[in-house]
Amino acid sequence: MKLLAFNGSPRKKWNTAQLLEHALEGAESEGAKTKLYHLYDLDFTGCISCFACKRAGGKSYGHCAVKDDLAPILEKIGKADAILIGSPIYLGITTGVTRCFLERLIYPYLVYDAERSSLFKKKIQTAFIYTAGATDEMVQEMGIERNVKGTEMVMEKIFGSCESFFVTDTLQFDDYSKFVATRFDPEAKKKRHEEQFPLDCKKAYELGARLVREDS
């Protein structure tokens, strides 16, 4: 089994990246091979609407024709057994680089037919880990779960399954006194991080293990 994970955060050592690392540890505990890509390290764009992946009889039918840093990784995804995507929530949705990645990942496999068929050749496990500085209540009020639901539905249609894990009220700064963020209580944030984040990391570990189990 092989799990590919993608960090859609510009921070390589903070909440999203840490959760992904724990998920990979969980997958490895089940004997899976894993690989983590930091999307901000790659030079690529979103879909450029060339429609090469839709051209009947074309050499790129069902595959993205754009040649950049993402191209070889998309090929590897075709051989993976599970995909895990992590992203912080920016302005109610995943980061821009995550959206660009999802466009390139999903669109080539979508078929414009009545059945909305998928050109992906097998069924695999997929999942999202979302992190947000907002509280659970704020996430609900802002409709963030609704914002990401459409993408998750398409992921399930294309790849066969999709689940999501929200980690909320995260610690955004090491030292809140250096930033203008008076709506937050630094001590409460720190306390929650110390108490809740280890539990969230455990859940991420369990998610990673679940994604690569043969009977999942």
Side-chain angles (χ1 to χ4, degrees):
M1 299 289 284
K2 187 168 187 179
L3 168 64
L4 300 183
F6 300 89
N7 177 24
S9 170
R11 305 167 85 175
K12 297 181 182 179
K13 300 294 183 182
W14 209 246
N15 301 311
T16 306
Q18 290 179 42
L19 290 162
L20 287 171
E21 291 284 4
H22 279 85
L24 295 188
E25 290 176 10
E28 290 163 3
S29 75
E30 297 286 330
K33 294 181 180 179
T34 67
K35 175 71 174 178
L36 174 61
Y37 294 95
H38 296 284
L39 294 180
Y40 275 83
D41 283 349
L42 305 176
D43 184 10
F44 72 100
T45 68
C47 175
I48 62 171
S49 223
C50 68
F51 299 112
C53 65
K54 299 286 181 281
R55 189 172 295 277
K59 64 179 181 179
S60 293
Y61 181 72
H63 302 279
C64 184
V66 177
K67 302 302 180 185
D68 54 17
D69 286 357
L70 197 58
I73 297 173
L74 293 175
E75 290 186 17
K76 292 178 181 179
I77 288 174
K79 301 174 184 177
D81 300 293
I83 301 170
L84 177 59
I85 301 166
S87 176
I89 297 297
Y90 288 178
L91 302 177
I93 195 69
T94 53
T95 59
V97 73
T98 304
R99 293 302 304 174
C100 288
F101 169 70
L102 289 169
E103 289 174 6
R104 297 278 299 282
L105 170 66
I106 293 172
Y107 190 62
Y109 296 120
L110 284 171
V111 181
Y112 286 151
D113 59 8
E115 295 75 27
R116 297 180 182 176
S117 305
S118 169
L119 293 175
F120 198 72
K121 297 183 180 193
K122 57 183 179 179
K123 299 298 182 183
I124 66 173
Q125 302 294 316
T126 72
F128 287 91
I129 294 177
Y130 304 107
T131 58
T135 63
D136 288 332
E137 293 75 18
M138 292 170 64
V139 166
Q140 291 294 324
E141 291 174 5
M142 296 170 65
I144 292 174
E145 291 187 8
R146 183 179 64 251
N147 291 349
V148 300
K149 192 65 178 178
T151 300
E152 293 171 2
M153 290 174 63
V154 178
M155 287 286 286
E156 182 174 359
K157 181 68 176 177
I158 295 297
F159 299 105
S161 73
C162 187
E163 62 177 294
S164 61
F165 174 36
F166 271 88
V167 177
T168 61
D169 202 5
T170 57
L171 189 71
Q172 292 171 282
F173 315 116
D174 280 323
D175 185 353
Y176 275 75
S177 68
K178 296 179 179 179
F179 303 91
V180 180
T182 54
R183 71 180 296 173
F184 300 113
D185 180 344
E187 291 305 315
K189 280 282 192 181
K190 182 178 179 181
K191 184 173 186 293
R192 177 176 172 82
H193 184 77
E194 292 173 348
E195 296 177 352
Q196 182 61 41
F197 196 68
L199 301 179
D200 292 328
C201 288
K202 182 179 179 181
K203 290 180 180 178
Y205 181 98
E206 294 167 350
L207 171 60
R210 187 166 62 252
L211 287 174
V212 298
R213 288 196 184 112
E214 296 286 353
D215 58 352
S216 61

